[in-house]
Amino acid sequence: MDKLKLKALYADLRPDLDQVEKELITSVASDAPLLTDASLHLLQAGGKRIRPVFVLLSAKFGDFSIERIKHVAVPVELIHMASLVHDDVIDDADTRRGRPTVKAEWNNRMAMYTGDFLFSKAIASLANIEKPYAHKLLADTMVELCIGEIEQVEDKRLYDLSVKDYLRRIRRKTALLIRVSCELGALASEVDDKTRIHLRNFGYYVGMSFQIVDDILDIVSTDEMLGKPAGSDLLLGNITLPVVYARDEANVSRLLARIEQGDTTEETRHELLTVLRKSEGLEKAKRLSNLYLEKAMNEMRSLPNSPAKRSLQNIALFMSKRKF
Amino acid sequence: MDKLKLKALYADLRPDLDQVEKELITSVASDAPLLTDASLHLLQAGGKRIRPVFVLLSAKFGDFSIERIKHVAVPVELIHMASLVHDDVIDDADTRRGRPTVKAEWNNRMAMYTGDFLFSKAIASLANIEKPYAHKLLADTMVELCIGEIEQVEDKRLYDLSVKDYLRRIRRKTALLIRVSCELGALASEVDDKTRIHLRNFGYYVGMSFQIVDDILDIVSTDEMLGKPAGSDLLLGNITLPVVYARDEANVSRLLARIEQGDTTEETRHELLTVLRKSEGLEKAKRLSNLYLEKAMNEMRSLPNSPAKRSLQNIALFMSKRKF
């Protein structure tokens, strides 16, 4: 994703995001230099802070106070980070975003407890918001993320994954944390219920659209654009929407059968990418992504015009229409 | 520990504990049969539910309602369970309390996300209590538990661990979660501040005394009583208070040097146990444990007499004076 272009869409938020960034650093302070170092290592890896952006923009529809809202923006980003560091333990990953993982730089024990530490710090930060319902929302989302992690394995190598299975998976993997970011931002700023629900639904639909696009880009992008071999996830049995749709096309099903029998050579990967890029499945996936984008835009329709609304619309468009 | 004798000390709590047990089972329900099964597997392993007992008894000093207080008792037990299951991943343990661990029965991924799931369910349960400060207390305790886990490794094999280091370690390992159990129970039942602080301190001192006794029993008990070889932790470099105190006695230091050089034979273990059992260090450790027990009892002194107070006193006595 072109980070610079994305950031231009919420340039107005710069001072608020700087405050969030400061609070992120403050929030991981502790008596344990190792845990704080590992957390800072993760924070400094960058990331787009897209979840805090959704929190802030949603909060702008109500009684906005950066001093209050930073305690919502920080937890969602910390939970995102915690889930990444735990994933790295399980996936045995050595790098993420081009930097060594906590697991690689320190060890598995550090990665485990850094994740737990970040979860705890997220809850501690949210405790500044005097709304028990906020804790319930965030905790319920965390539960769904865990379920998603377990389902992902069950689904793995299941070449008969249905469209419904796929959608349920990306809902938990991506859409729910964006949804809760919007909803918590609105809740903490006393946004009226009707607007809050629109923002919440908007976040959900944007998340769905975004993840489908991500999965399309994994097929159509070059290795250089992705920073990893295109289609590599498919070889591992992580089936995505374009493949689900294209599975019945003769060339695709022939190749999938080969992969399922263990043929994961470079040649097979290239062949699969070639047929998928020309397949109907790719077009169908794009259509579904556009449908979610449309639904997201519909949620915005009845909300009053404002710079925050325009930013949300632009971000949604950008995330769904990006080329990498 | 003699579970039956312990349970007799809080027989009055039986109906309340049954409610907590039911709520524990309800609380781990989810759309993910695997995660719920793994959680039930952990719940059914038993455990003394000593943390919920501290919650309930502390709550009895105020406006007690089981419907409310179960949402405090459940989270502390779930967090205890979550930390055990994550420990089992790191320690690569195959059994706990004589049952296969989640890691052994399923796999590491399941253990990781079952732990995360239990953390999340703990927060979700506590969200029923309309007190943001309760979340802060619990989250801060979770942070301290993580720090404890990391420190434990740093300390490992450090044969120059000081008494202060040891106390800091057991504070995080044991005392803080009992302290927060008492404090949250009091907080949720609107116990007045002065009584709440006494209960909180009581929990802390009982926890300290309890852990020192546990470490003493690891040396003086038979293998049968412990269900594992006595002194086995010491061979792994987990130095406990009796050893810290006895380290300067000639026979002890000679043996420790041998262990540090990699001699972890059965013979060495028996020799170490023999000298430790006769050492001054063991007596000194008992004295410190008694001192903490005394401090715990002092905290109770100014509180009004009640069945709950008597139960807390009896449990403290039992936990500190038990023979296994």
Side-chain angles (χ1 to χ4, degrees):
Chain A
M1 201 180 318
D2 189 334
K3 258 198 227 176
L4 286 177
K5 265 195 192 158
L6 179 64
K7 281 189 173 170
L9 300 179
Y10 48 83
D12 302 353
L13 285 185
R14 192 54 196 267
D16 296 327
L17 276 172
D18 286 348
Q19 290 277 69
V20 170
E21 205 61 33
K22 264 189 211 155
E23 184 64 24
L24 276 168
I25 290 166
T26 309
S27 74
V28 298
S30 79
D31 291 348
L34 267 177
L35 285 173
T36 297
D37 285 356
S39 303
L40 291 175
H41 171 89
L42 287 167
L43 278 174
Q44 280 149 10
K48 301 176 294 292
R49 307 287 188 252
I50 196 70
R51 290 158 198 82
V53 166
F54 281 114
V55 170
L56 295 172
L57 290 173
S58 299
K60 296 268 180 185
F61 285 80
D63 176 20
F64 187 90
S65 145
I66 185 64
E67 281 309 311
R68 188 175 345 119
I69 211 67
K70 69 183 181 187
H71 294 299
V72 175
V74 162
V76 295
E77 187 68 11
L78 292 183
I79 281 174
H80 173 60
M81 282 168 54
S83 70
L84 294 183
V85 68
H86 276 181
D87 290 354
D88 289 339
V89 175
I90 295 303
D91 298 341
D92 208 25
D94 284 329
T95 60
R96 180 178 289 271
R97 292 175 186 159
R99 283 167 61 102
T101 56
V102 172
K103 188 212 138 264
E105 184 92 7
W106 287 272
N107 53 47
N108 263 335
R109 175 180 277 263
M110 273 295 291
M112 169 69 89
Y113 295 109
T114 300
D116 290 354
F117 175 79
L118 293 170
F119 275 133
S120 310
K121 286 294 193 180
I123 307 302
S125 179
L126 191 65
N128 289 289
I129 304 292
E130 307 249 320
K131 291 190 186 289
Y133 184 56
H135 279 280
K136 172 142 178 49
L137 276 183
L138 192 63
D140 287 349
T141 305
M142 286 161 64
V143 167
E144 294 295 322
L145 294 183
C146 296
I147 296 179
E149 292 291 347
I150 292 300
E151 274 182 344
Q152 192 162 347
V153 203
E154 292 184 316
D155 288 347
K156 247 186 188 174
R157 310 215 66 91
L158 281 186
Y159 285 90
D160 57 351
L161 189 81
S162 70
V163 173
K164 208 175 141 191
D165 293 333
Y166 169 83
L167 294 177
R168 205 183 49 211
R169 192 164 92 185
I170 67 169
R171 177 176 185 273
R172 292 195 166 112
K173 181 180 173 187
T174 306
L176 290 183
L177 198 52
I178 298 183
R179 180 175 89 175
V180 85
S181 300
C182 293
E183 180 155 26
L184 285 175
L187 191 73
S189 286
E190 313 286 349
V191 170
D192 65 280
D193 288 357
K194 217 181 127 222
T195 306
R196 177 167 57 80
I197 300 302
H198 281 306
L199 287 165
R200 161 200 159 102
N201 293 343
F202 169 82
Y204 175 73
Y205 292 133
V206 168
M208 293 298 280
S209 174
F210 168 76
Q211 187 59 53
I212 296 173
V213 171
D214 219 51
D215 290 338
I216 291 172
L217 292 176
D218 189 52
I219 291 167
V220 301
S221 305
T222 61
D223 298 359
E224 294 71 42
M225 285 158 107
L226 290 170
K228 63 177 181 181
S232 53
D233 279 2
L234 298 179
L235 291 199
L236 296 172
N238 280 330
I239 294 307
T240 57
L241 191 60
V243 185
V244 174
Y245 277 140
R247 199 168 36 203
D248 294 336
E249 300 176 29
N251 330 348
V252 177
S253 72
R254 183 179 48 82
L255 275 162
L256 286 178
R258 247 166 63 189
I259 293 169
E260 203 159 19
Q261 276 153 33
D263 172 359
T264 55
T265 54
E266 272 299 273
E267 205 190 321
T268 306
R269 180 171 74 87
H270 284 294
E271 231 179 298
L272 180 64
L273 288 174
T274 308
V275 297
L276 282 175
R277 283 169 186 166
K278 281 186 266 179
S279 73
E280 271 289 306
L282 201 69
E283 280 313 307
K284 280 191 190 166
K286 279 185 193 166
R287 278 201 293 278
L288 189 56
S289 155
N290 282 331
L291 198 69
Y292 277 115
L293 175 63
E294 223 171 89
K295 278 167 176 276
M297 291 308 199
N298 275 342
E299 295 290 336
M300 286 287 106
R301 197 158 296 164
S302 62
L303 302 191
N305 286 323
S306 71
K309 176 175 168 174
R310 269 191 303 284
S311 289
L312 284 175
Q313 287 168 323
N314 287 335
I315 291 169
L317 262 175
F318 178 85
M319 286 174 79
S320 299
K321 297 296 180 190
R322 70 207 158 92
K323 298 283 172 237
F324 67 98
Chain B
M1 201 179 320
D2 188 336
K3 257 197 227 176
L4 286 177
K5 266 196 190 158
L6 180 63
K7 281 188 175 171
L9 301 178
Y10 48 84
D12 302 353
L13 284 185
R14 193 54 196 266
D16 297 328
L17 276 172
D18 286 347
Q19 290 278 61
V20 170
E21 205 61 33
K22 263 188 213 156
E23 183 64 24
L24 276 168
I25 290 166
T26 310
S27 74
V28 299
S30 78
D31 291 346
L34 268 176
L35 285 172
T36 297
D37 284 355
S39 303
L40 291 175
H41 171 89
L42 287 166
L43 278 173
Q44 281 150 9
K48 301 175 294 293
R49 308 287 189 250
I50 195 71
R51 290 157 197 85
V53 166
F54 282 113
V55 170
L56 295 172
L57 289 173
S58 299
K60 297 268 181 185
F61 285 79
D63 176 19
F64 186 90
S65 145
I66 186 65
E67 281 308 311
R68 191 178 338 124
I69 211 67
K70 69 183 181 185
H71 295 299
V72 175
V74 162
V76 295
E77 188 68 11
L78 292 183
I79 282 174
H80 174 60
M81 282 169 54
S83 70
L84 293 183
V85 68
H86 277 180
D87 290 356
D88 288 340
V89 176
I90 295 303
D91 297 342
D92 209 24
D94 284 329
T95 60
R96 177 177 293 269
R97 293 174 185 158
R99 282 168 60 101
T101 56
V102 173
K103 189 213 137 263
E105 184 92 7
W106 287 272
N107 53 46
N108 262 334
R109 175 180 276 262
M110 272 294 292
M112 169 70 88
Y113 295 109
T114 300
D116 290 355
F117 175 79
L118 293 169
F119 276 133
S120 310
K121 287 293 194 180
I123 306 302
S125 180
L126 192 64
N128 289 289
I129 303 292
E130 306 250 319
K131 290 190 185 290
Y133 183 57
H135 279 280
K136 171 141 177 52
L137 275 182
L138 192 64
D140 287 349
T141 305
M142 286 161 64
V143 167
E144 294 295 321
L145 293 184
C146 296
I147 296 178
E149 291 292 348
I150 293 300
E151 273 181 344
Q152 191 162 347
V153 203
E154 292 185 316
D155 287 349
K156 246 186 188 174
R157 310 216 67 91
L158 282 186
Y159 284 90
D160 56 351
L161 188 82
S162 70
V163 174
K164 208 174 141 192
D165 293 333
Y166 168 84
L167 295 177
R168 205 185 47 211
R169 193 163 92 185
I170 66 168
R171 176 177 185 272
R172 292 196 166 110
K173 183 180 172 186
T174 306
L176 290 183
L177 197 52
I178 298 183
R179 180 174 89 176
V180 85
S181 300
C182 293
E183 180 155 24
L184 285 175
L187 191 72
S189 286
E190 312 287 351
V191 170
D192 66 278
D193 289 357
K194 217 179 128 221
T195 306
R196 177 167 57 81
I197 299 301
H198 280 306
L199 287 164
R200 161 199 158 102
N201 292 344
F202 169 82
Y204 175 74
Y205 293 133
V206 168
M208 295 297 282
S209 174
F210 168 75
Q211 188 58 52
I212 296 173
V213 171
D214 219 52
D215 290 338
I216 291 171
L217 291 176
D218 189 53
I219 290 168
V220 300
S221 303
T222 61
D223 299 358
E224 294 71 42
M225 287 158 105
L226 289 171
K228 62 177 182 180
S232 53
D233 278 3
L234 298 179
L235 290 198
L236 297 172
N238 280 330
I239 294 309
T240 56
L241 191 60
V243 185
V244 173
Y245 278 140
R247 198 168 36 204
D248 293 336
E249 300 176 31
N251 330 349
V252 178
S253 71
R254 183 179 45 81
L255 275 163
L256 286 178
R258 246 165 66 189
I259 293 169
E260 202 158 21
Q261 277 153 33
D263 173 358
T264 54
T265 55
E266 272 298 275
E267 204 191 321
T268 306
R269 179 171 74 88
H270 284 294
E271 232 179 296
L272 180 65
L273 288 174
T274 308
V275 297
L276 283 175
R277 284 168 184 166
K278 284 186 266 180
S279 73
E280 271 289 305
L282 201 68
E283 281 312 307
K284 279 192 192 166
K286 280 185 193 167
R287 277 202 293 277
L288 190 56
S289 155
N290 282 331
L291 198 68
Y292 277 115
L293 175 63
E294 223 171 90
K295 279 168 176 273
M297 293 306 200
N298 275 340
E299 295 290 337
M300 285 287 106
R301 197 158 296 162
S302 62
L303 302 192
N305 286 323
S306 70
K309 176 176 169 174
R310 268 191 303 284
S311 289
L312 284 175
Q313 287 168 323
N314 287 335
I315 292 170
L317 262 175
F318 178 86
M319 286 174 78
S320 298
K321 298 296 179 191
R322 69 206 157 94
K323 297 286 174 234
F324 65 98

